[in-house]
Amino acid sequence: MRWIQSAAAHTRNGLGLLGSVALLAFGGTGCGDAPGLDFPPDPLGEIDPTPDPSCTATWTVGARGRIVDETGVGVEGARPQMCLRLEDETLLCLVPPVTDAEGYFHQAFTSEIPGEEPRCLQEIAVRALLPNAGFATTYCHASLTPENGVLTLDDPVVLYEVAPATLPPQGDREAVREVTLDDGLVLDVVPSAFFGDYERLSAQRHSVASPPCFARGADLLGLYAFTPEVRVDPGFRVRIPNRHGLEEGARVELLLLGGLETILPDERLIAEADFEVFGTATVRDGFIESDVGSELPYLTWLGYRRL
């Protein structure tokens, strides 16, 4: 396990403490299709791209890209965080830069550890967010195809807005209460299990006709984005309105987008930008209800599809 630039660091089998730090420090994404980007000048071209001869993966000295909203307008002040899977399987999530007035960013892959550079990579996941502004944090895998050592994200990263919710008063932090969010989605919430501000809890349904990058090809019936991105322990029971005409007793798979600290009750980790099945649900009385043991353990993006 290694730390870098006060950022999250973990392997596929365990999390570093700084995962929690980064989760609290950066509060808003998906990858969209767009024509070529008009990048402003940046200093990445001044970095020597000569690879370390010992690197057997992909030598990458930095990345550049753009963050936009759903209308394609650049987002100023967004945080694009690069999560780098190194040759030795270590994951390093770097301190994110801040986008300029047009949503552009660049970042050199450097280390505070003398003599070490996180540049021999197996893969990159991009975590994009706009702190405390009502956008869901989303992750995308980036194609690792650098030119002269620099990776250009040709498709902009898209921030998806989540409208504020009307919540019942927090009251007793240990008491379960039903919270109804966008589209009639119901969670059984215990505020003390919520590693964040209860008052910020919200969700929004998004179209599966044009899903974010992580959900493409998943054959979903529905998809919800949550704010804030945060761990839940114990998890929340979920009830999704059955707007699909599924028969009583029908079974459904539940999928979750991996974030900085997405650990399931069986200790399995869903890695950043992976969109994986974490549980099942059953159609009961007009709702798709999570089965026992399939409570929602982390708030990122929740999808569901026929089992």
Side-chain angles (χ1 to χ4, degrees):
M1 181 183 298
R2 292 187 285 163
W3 293 0
I4 180 171
Q5 297 184 190
S6 302
H10 65 77
T11 67
R12 291 189 185 276
N13 297 316
L15 284 169
L17 173 63
L18 286 170
S20 298
V21 174
L23 188 61
L24 294 175
F26 308 113
T29 68
C31 297
D33 295 319
L37 303 182
D38 184 19
F39 292 101
D42 67 56
L44 295 180
E46 301 175 4
I47 300 174
D48 182 1
T50 305
D52 184 331
S54 68
C55 176
T56 60
T58 302
W59 187 256
T60 311
V61 301
R64 60 168 68 97
R66 191 183 189 208
I67 295 183
V68 301
D69 63 19
E70 291 179 82
T71 68
V73 175
V75 178
E76 182 178 7
R79 275 38 168 200
Q81 186 172 33
M82 303 292 111
C83 291
L84 313 178
R85 180 73 60 187
L86 305 187
E87 185 180 32
D88 64 0
E89 291 290 331
T90 299
L91 180 83
L92 300 177
C93 289
L94 305 180
V95 172
V98 179
T99 56
D100 66 16
E102 300 298 324
Y104 289 98
F105 69 89
H106 61 268
Q107 182 170 38
F109 297 163
T110 59
S111 172
E112 292 180 349
I113 303 173
E116 290 194 23
E117 301 292 352
R119 294 176 173 179
C120 189
L121 310 180
Q122 293 190 34
E123 62 183 21
I124 294 179
V126 182
R127 175 181 184 250
L129 52 148
L130 187 63
N132 304 316
F135 288 87
T137 303
T138 302
Y139 296 74
C140 291
H141 284 294
S143 177
L144 194 52
T145 54
E147 294 186 10
N148 294 322
V150 176
L151 176 65
T152 298
L153 305 177
D154 292 322
D155 292 340
V157 179
V158 181
L159 284 170
Y160 295 90
E161 193 167 6
V162 176
T166 301
L167 304 177
Q170 176 174 276
D172 183 354
R173 285 183 52 80
E174 304 299 327
V176 180
R177 78 286 316 277
E178 288 189 357
V179 174
T180 301
L181 302 172
D182 186 59
D183 188 55
L185 173 72
V186 180
L187 302 182
D188 285 355
V189 174
V190 179
S192 65
F194 189 78
F195 288 75
D197 296 331
Y198 167 77
E199 292 78 11
R200 293 179 57 206
L201 174 62
S202 192
Q204 187 151 337
R205 186 179 180 91
H206 282 270
S207 171
V208 296
S210 55
C213 60
F214 62 84
R216 292 172 187 165
D219 194 26
L220 299 176
L221 290 172
L223 181 66
Y224 293 90
F226 289 93
T227 59
E229 180 193 3
V230 70
R231 184 165 60 93
V232 177
D233 185 20
F236 297 156
R237 185 172 64 128
V238 177
R239 292 190 295 287
I240 302 166
N242 179 18
R243 306 190 188 283
H244 315 282
L246 300 177
E247 64 277 11
E248 189 77 3
R251 303 296 306 287
V252 170
E253 288 183 320
L254 301 176
L255 297 89
L256 188 62
L257 175 64
L260 291 181
E261 222 176 2
T262 313
I263 304 175
L264 304 184
D266 62 3
E267 301 301 316
R268 179 167 65 93
L269 171 71
I270 301 181
E272 288 79 358
D274 287 354
F275 193 48
E276 296 186 6
V277 173
F278 76 93
T280 58
T282 303
V283 176
R284 301 185 181 93
D285 300 325
F287 284 89
I288 302 168
E289 182 177 320
S290 56
D291 296 326
V292 174
S294 295
E295 293 79 12
L296 185 64
Y298 193 85
L299 302 183
T300 47
W301 290 70
L302 169 68
Y304 59 99
R305 66 190 179 195
R306 296 175 187 270
L307 181 62

